[in-house]
Each structure stands twice: as C-alpha cells, then as structure tokens.
Amino acid sequence: MLGFIVRPPHELLSLLCPGLRIPRLSVLCAQPRLRAMAVSSSSWELPLVAVCQVTSTPDKEQNFITCAELIREAARLGACLAFLPEAFDFIARNPEETLHLSEPLGGNLLGEYTQLARECGLWLSLGGFHERGQDWEQTQKIYNCHVILNNKGSVVATYRKTHLCDVEIPGQGPMHESNSTIPGPSLESPISTPAGKIGLAICYDMRFPELSLALVQAGAEILTYPSAFGSVTGPAHWEVLLRARAIESQCYVVAAAQCGRHHEKRASYGHSMVVDPWGTVVARCSEGPGLCLARIDLNYLRRLRQHLPVFQHRRPELYGHLGHPLS
C-alpha cells in the first residue's frame, strides 16, 4: 500500500534556534506498481530519492528483474536517484558460489544496469556489487564495490568496501567476508548528484564514525549505507547507528537494505530508511520488497549546520582528528 505522510516541524529545534524555519517534507512509502497520491506543489521543488528494498538470492537473473521493476517504479514516481542495497546482484550460499557468480565491472550485469539507467533517465546507487577486480587472476578474491551510475548510464564513482564484516554473533551465524573479499584501499570523494553530494559507504562501514566524518569534511551532504544487516544486529543496532551517523555528521543518511530469507543459510533484517540531518527517520520501507521515497532539502541541512556548528567547535588538539579530510 502506498502512503503519504507530511512530517511536522521539529519543535525542539525550533526552541533551540528561534526563527529557524523547519520545512515540511513529504514522505512516500510504496510497493511496486502502485500510484502515488497527490503531493503539494511546493514539495516538488525538492529532489526526490527512492530507496529500494529487495530479497536477493543466488538467482542473478531474477534479482535483476526485481530490481529493474523497482527502479522503473521509482522513475515513474519522479525520483531522480534510486538506491539499491548491498548484494543487489546476488547473495550466495557460500564463498565458493560467491566467487563463481561474481563479475567484473565491465561484465553483462552492470551493462544491463547501464542500459536501465539510460532507459529510465535515473541516477543509480548500486550498493554492493561483487566485483572481480583487475587483480582477480592473482588473488582469486573480489571487492564489495559500490557503483554510482548517472542518468546516461556512465560509471561516475566506485567505492570498494574498506571494513569487512568478520564477526560471529550468537543466534545470527558467523560472517567471514574476508574469505572471499579484499578490503578496499581508500575512500571515495563525495560525488555530486541531482540530490546532493553523496558520500559512499557500505553496511559494516556504518560502525566506524571516522569514515562518515571524513566524508562530511570532504563535502558530503548525503551518506549512503547500502546494507544486508542480520536478524540479531538489525533490531539492536540498525536504526540507532543510522541516526547517530546522521546527527554527528549533519547529513542525510540513505540506507537501502536487504530483507527476508535469501536461502536456507541466511536472512536479512530490512527496514530500509532515510534519516534527515536532525536524526529523524523521514521514510522507511514496510516489510518485504518494495521502496520508499523522500525529498532532500539541502537548504534545511545548511541552516541546521549554521545554527548548530559542531564542526567549528571541534578540538582536535585535545583528541586528534577522528576523521581526516580526504586528500
């Protein structure tokens, strides 16, 4: 079911900063092939982003069909940019299958998304592509690669996940990403898009605030954490971490997530969402595959940073630089 919500003003921020106008942002939550309800004309002045939630399996062809349906729906609803979660291409049963199904960036699958971006006239955040890099022959391992395509289908940014998830959570099963994946060597400078400057990260990266602070000091206005959170860490940490990253960085946070059971060995928490720079969840997906949409108000972000100038108040001489600006 498609919903329409208008977020009320933040009374607390108004009290802290008299005279600060807090915008009313429209939020849409949708399942595919549903019609949008009417939105006030003023809302259309703000860029609309779509956050897609899927249940990837080892079936790459079916995964593409599902993602393409959501992307076309996002375009029909007027989004300028659609975000897909980590492992949008597939979630395999074991490291061997992961390596077997992986492709280079110049492979067939990314070619299909390139064509889809052109067809829809939509920017795409492909949240975690299993990439065979140039060192594939030597390493026989892959990268977890976040790819940004513009509306002409060109690759304008790539970020390879720097923090690999090697953890053992009771009740959730072990995760040893490094069995098949190489950590990325560097961060990517924020990329300008129709929605704002986007800082790229992936899933487990959200547990490291130094990364988000480095991105915001490099100019990021939107942080994106495409993810596949588990069923134990999800309820405990997912929303808390995303809201914390938004508040401390004074950025929008966009988090497209995997949901449901992928196969007999793995399931994901879901709850894709958008958080504004005040830490308010302004859009979230319901259960199951679908999408949610939110408008990005960069004037609101700039006013918030002006009235609450935390980056001007930092004391690196006392505790060092938690996030060095990117070179």
Side-chain angles (χ1 to χ4, degrees), residues 48-212:
L48 184 70
V49 299
V51 186
C52 302
Q53 181 166 282
V54 300
T55 308
S56 292
T57 71
D59 188 338
K60 292 167 66 175
E61 182 177 353
Q62 183 57 52
N63 294 337
F64 175 75
I65 291 172
T66 299
C67 291
E69 182 180 11
L70 290 171
I71 289 168
R72 291 190 177 100
E73 179 70 2
R76 193 186 68 77
L77 291 170
C80 65
L81 196 156
F83 294 82
L84 293 181
E86 182 182 31
F88 68 94
D89 50 353
F90 64 86
I91 291 183
R93 297 176 182 86
N94 52 59
E96 294 74 25
E97 187 176 40
T98 295
L99 296 173
H100 173 71
L101 293 174
S102 64
E103 295 185 17
L105 289 180
N108 292 334
L109 184 60
L110 206 65
E112 291 186 277
Y113 279 98
T114 293
Q115 182 177 344
L116 185 62
R118 287 198 301 262
E119 171 196 324
C120 295
L122 198 65
W123 284 61
L124 299 179
S125 163
L126 306 178
F129 176 74
H130 296 87
E131 178 205 4
R132 292 188 183 184
Q134 294 182 351
D135 54 0
W136 164 255
E137 295 296 333
Q138 293 75 37
T139 66
Q140 292 295 296
K141 287 190 174 184
I142 60 174
Y143 294 96
N144 189 341
C145 185
H146 188 161
V147 182
I148 301 291
L149 301 178
N150 66 16
N151 58 352
K152 296 180 181 178
S154 300
V155 175
V156 295
T158 56
Y159 161 73
R160 292 164 180 88
K161 188 177 182 183
T162 51
H163 302 99
L164 300 185
C165 189
D166 287 352
V167 301
E168 297 194 16
I169 307 295
Q172 187 170 286
M175 172 71 70
H176 299 291
E177 192 173 10
S178 63
N179 285 347
S180 61
T181 305
I182 303 169
S186 62
L187 303 185
E188 175 72 16
S189 295
I191 181 74
S192 294
T193 76
K197 288 187 177 180
I198 293 182
L200 304 182
I202 301 173
C203 197
Y204 192 57
D205 286 333
M206 77 175 67
R207 295 186 181 273
F208 303 90
E210 298 89 345
L211 185 152
S212 62

Side-chain angles (χ1 to χ4, degrees), residues 313-321:
H313 298 157
R314 292 191 179 278
R315 297 287 305 278
E317 74 275 14
L318 300 181
Y319 42 71
H321 288 281

